[in-house]
């Protein structure tokens, strides 16, 4: 294979280049909303967006709250109705 024919210095260079490339790719996606895929220039803008403006996140949070409330009341109902 390719790695067997490389020296340890060459292998180290290949690995470090791959790590730099992956780190660069992660940093580019670091300011992207995971709910609506909108991209922001600054991390603080992303935080404000997710906290106050992202409609998809608000919808998901409301759905989770409804489901948790429903499960909570079902659990209470079954707890008190069992003999």
């Amino acid at each position: 294979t390719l790695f067997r024919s490389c020296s340890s210095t060459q292998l180290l260079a290949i690995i470090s280049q791959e790590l730099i490339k992956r780190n660069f790719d992660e940093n580019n996606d670091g300011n992207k909303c995971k709910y609506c895929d909108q991209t922001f220039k600054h991390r603080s803008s992303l935080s404000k967006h997710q906290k106050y403006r992202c409609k998809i996140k608000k919808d998901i949070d409301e759905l989770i709250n409804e489901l948790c409330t429903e499960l909570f009341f079902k659990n209470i109902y079954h707890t008190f109705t069992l003999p």
Side-chain angles (χ1 to χ4, degrees):
T1 64
L2 173 67
F3 296 117
R4 289 185 185 174
S5 63
C6 293
S7 70
S8 59
T9 308
Q10 290 172 329
L11 188 58
L12 183 61
I14 292 169
I15 291 171
S16 63
Q17 286 174 353
E18 185 63 28
L19 289 173
I20 290 169
K21 179 182 167 194
R22 287 183 185 178
N23 190 27
F24 180 75
D25 290 342
E26 287 174 4
N27 287 339
N28 284 344
D29 290 342
N31 294 334
K32 185 183 248 187
C33 179
K34 62 182 176 181
Y35 302 101
C36 66
D37 290 334
Q38 189 172 349
T39 305
F40 296 89
K41 187 173 182 180
H42 303 285
R43 188 84 171 148
S44 59
S45 301
L46 172 64
S47 298
K48 287 178 185 177
H49 164 76
Q50 287 180 343
K51 191 171 185 179
Y52 302 112
R53 296 182 203 101
C54 187
K55 294 177 184 177
I56 296 172
K57 183 181 183 303
K58 285 182 183 181
D59 291 343
I60 291 171
D61 289 345
E62 286 176 10
L63 182 62
I64 289 172
N65 284 335
E66 289 174 13
L67 290 172
C68 288
T69 304
E70 185 178 324
L71 287 172
F72 176 75
F73 284 114
K74 280 185 178 181
N75 189 19
I76 288 177
Y77 176 77
H78 288 293
T79 302
F80 288 115
T81 57
L82 291 175

